[in-house]
Amino acid sequence: MGGYEINAEMGLPQGSVLSPVLFNVYLEEAIRSSQKLEEVRSRGDLLAFADDMLVMSNNIHEIEQIINELTSLQVKWNLKLNKKKSEILSSEQVEEVNGIKCSPTVKYLGVKIAVDRKE
């Protein structure tokens, strides 16, 4: 790059245009390795932009399953769910699910999303 030689045994240089593409390929394979995550992705309820992920479900039991599946990706795929940076959008009076806080408003990719309490 720019006349300099870079020796790398793993990964890509910081800011490389290949990083998001390769991460998406890697993440896709990791998701396909889980029957539950693949089911959620195939119905359009799992969206990812680089390392930001949005998972949708109206069922608290399914949310627990999804969190467990995402957590299990750490062992085989070296992908860690950061529960401190994660949030669950919920209208329920629940403080947390599997160590992830619940809130009536969340931000995803800078966009505020809120529970619509009008029915």
Side-chain angles (χ1 to χ4, degrees), residues 4-19:
Y4 296 97
E5 185 175 315
I6 299 172
N7 294 321
E9 293 185 26
M10 182 193 290
L12 295 168
Q14 182 71 28
S16 170
V17 295
L18 285 178
S19 294

Side-chain angles (χ1 to χ4, degrees), residues 1-118:
M1 287 202 322
Y4 296 97
E5 185 175 315
I6 299 172
N7 294 321
E9 293 185 26
M10 182 193 290
L12 295 168
Q14 182 71 28
S16 170
V17 295
L18 285 178
S19 294
V21 174
L22 291 178
F23 182 79
N24 285 338
V25 169
Y26 189 75
L27 181 61
E28 180 73 17
E29 288 302 311
I31 289 168
R32 286 182 180 195
S33 74
S34 162
Q35 184 176 357
K36 182 63 183 175
L37 295 178
E38 176 59 14
E39 170 197 324
V40 174
R41 186 200 62 78
S42 67
R43 70 176 192 236
D45 288 338
L46 189 154
L47 309 173
F49 181 79
D51 63 346
D52 290 319
M53 189 177 292
L54 174 68
V55 180
M56 297 173 277
S57 176
N58 290 324
N59 181 316
I60 198 76
H61 177 68
E62 183 176 50
I63 292 289
E64 290 172 339
Q65 287 179 313
I66 292 167
I67 292 168
N68 290 336
E69 286 296 310
L70 289 169
T71 302
S72 75
L73 295 180
Q74 183 173 353
V75 176
K76 182 176 180 183
W77 296 92
N78 199 28
L79 294 169
K80 184 177 181 186
L81 173 64
N82 188 337
K83 291 184 177 185
K84 291 181 181 177
K85 287 185 169 183
S86 301
E87 291 181 280
I88 296 171
L89 178 66
S90 176
S91 61
E92 307 276 326
Q93 296 298 321
V94 178
E95 286 191 32
E96 70 172 46
V97 175
N98 286 15
I100 299 177
K101 83 172 189 166
C102 296
S103 173
T105 61
V106 298
K107 261 191 172 180
Y108 180 65
L109 301 176
V111 177
K112 185 176 178 179
I113 304 170
V115 172
D116 183 4
R117 297 181 194 268
K118 299 175 187 174

